[in-house]
């Protein structure tokens, strides 16, 4: 197969990407090369060559069109790196975020041990939390989501670990498991519909609405999950949430009967809520 040097593709991107401006063009092009062709910045410095033919070239030009329509790179490349592996993603799931990687690393740090634990990820989306926890905690892991399309993607990702996580297509409202859990993790939808105008237009246009927004009550999922935990979380069990820092006070009230703490993300924002049941 003929080859092409990576700087030629990079330069073509720089000259054709017009949806973004300034440094964003560079960043988006680098991200695309990494997600689509696995070309890192150092590969570019070394001007590494990659296989190239007419078919790849046609697909490449179609991708540039998509970039210029504002479609996120991850949905174009159908991939996002999360924690320690690439996950398949498409427009039916939220693109896994770096702050959620932080949540996962806290859970792994705090829960690693000898005892095999039961773990539930509520609102699993691509399965990125559940699969990462399975790999690093060697636990029995379950993931639920009310979106059938999301569960399909989670199961696609599950193949990478021989389908060892059990993904279930059910909303938290309908889930009545036969087992209890030691760890419950959730990055639920937490943007109030009133804050819609503050959300980046690309996110609004391309990421699933039901993964992001809660209609009236911004704490809806935290309340539901707390109710669920009253029945299905073992004593000495723990809940780990990603949160909207805007609702720290209200969340403090909701979990006031429990041993809870808020944890900052790397930018110093209260991003996570950890709750223990004694
Ligand atoms: C913010 S996304 C999180 C996705 C993934 N866990 C992540 O961190 O990238 C929230 C997820 O909750 C799901 N969801 C929405 N309503 C739900 C419900 N009632 N029960 C369970 N999952 C729900 C959405 O489909 C979406 O996949």
């Amino acid at each position: 197969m003929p080859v092409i040097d990576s700087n030629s593709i990079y330069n073509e991107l720089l000259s054709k990407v017009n949806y973004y401006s300034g440094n964003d063009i560079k960043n988006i092009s680098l991200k695309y090369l990494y997600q689509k062709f696995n070309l890192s910045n150092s590969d570019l410095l070394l001007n590494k060559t990659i296989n190239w033919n007419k078919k790849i070239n046609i697909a490449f030009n179609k991708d540039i069109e998509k970039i210029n329509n504002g479609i996120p790179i991850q949905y174009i490349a159908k991939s996002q790196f999360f924690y320690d592996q690439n996950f398949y993603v498409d427009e039916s799931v939220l693109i896994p975020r770096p702050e959620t990687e932080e949540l996962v690393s806290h859970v792994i740090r705090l829960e690693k041990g000898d005892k095999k634990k039961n773990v539930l990820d509520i609102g699993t989306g691509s399965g990125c939390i559940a699969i990462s926890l399975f790999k690093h905690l060697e636990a029995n892991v379950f993931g639920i989501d009310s979106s059938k399309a999301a569960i399909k993607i989670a199961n696609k990702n599950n193949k990478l670990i021989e389908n060892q996580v059990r993904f279930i297509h059910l909303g938290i409202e309908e889930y009545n498991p036969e087992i209890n859990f030691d760890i419950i993790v959730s990055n639920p939808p937490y943007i109030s519909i009133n804050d819609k105008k503050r959300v980046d237009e690309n996110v609004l246009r391309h990421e699933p609405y039901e993964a992001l927004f809660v209609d009236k009550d911004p704490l809806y999922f935290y309340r539901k999950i707390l109710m669920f935990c009253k029945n299905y979380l073992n004593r000495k069990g723990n809940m780990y949430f990603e949160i909207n820092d805007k609702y720290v006070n209200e969340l403090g009230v909701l979990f006031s009967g429990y041993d809870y703490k808020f944890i900052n993300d790397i930018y110093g924002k209260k991003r996570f809520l950890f709750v223990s049941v004694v």
Side-chain angles (χ1 to χ4, degrees), residues 82 92-97 100-101 103-104 121-130 144-148 150-151 168 170-174 185-190 208-214 220-221 224 242:
F82 181 88
S92 50
V93 292
L94 188 91
I95 297 167
R97 303 292 205 269
T100 311
E101 290 181 302
L103 175 68
V104 164
D121 172 25
I122 299 173
T124 199
S126 61
C128 58
I129 298 178
I144 62 164
D145 204 294
S146 55
S147 154
K148 195 174 176 185
I151 289 296
I168 301 161
L170 273 180
I172 181 63
E173 300 83 354
E174 299 103 46
V185 187
S186 187
N187 173 20
Y190 57 63
Y209 176 93
E210 61 284 4
L212 296 161
F213 293 102
V214 264
Y220 173 82
F221 284 100
K224 281 280 165 217
E242 192 169 312

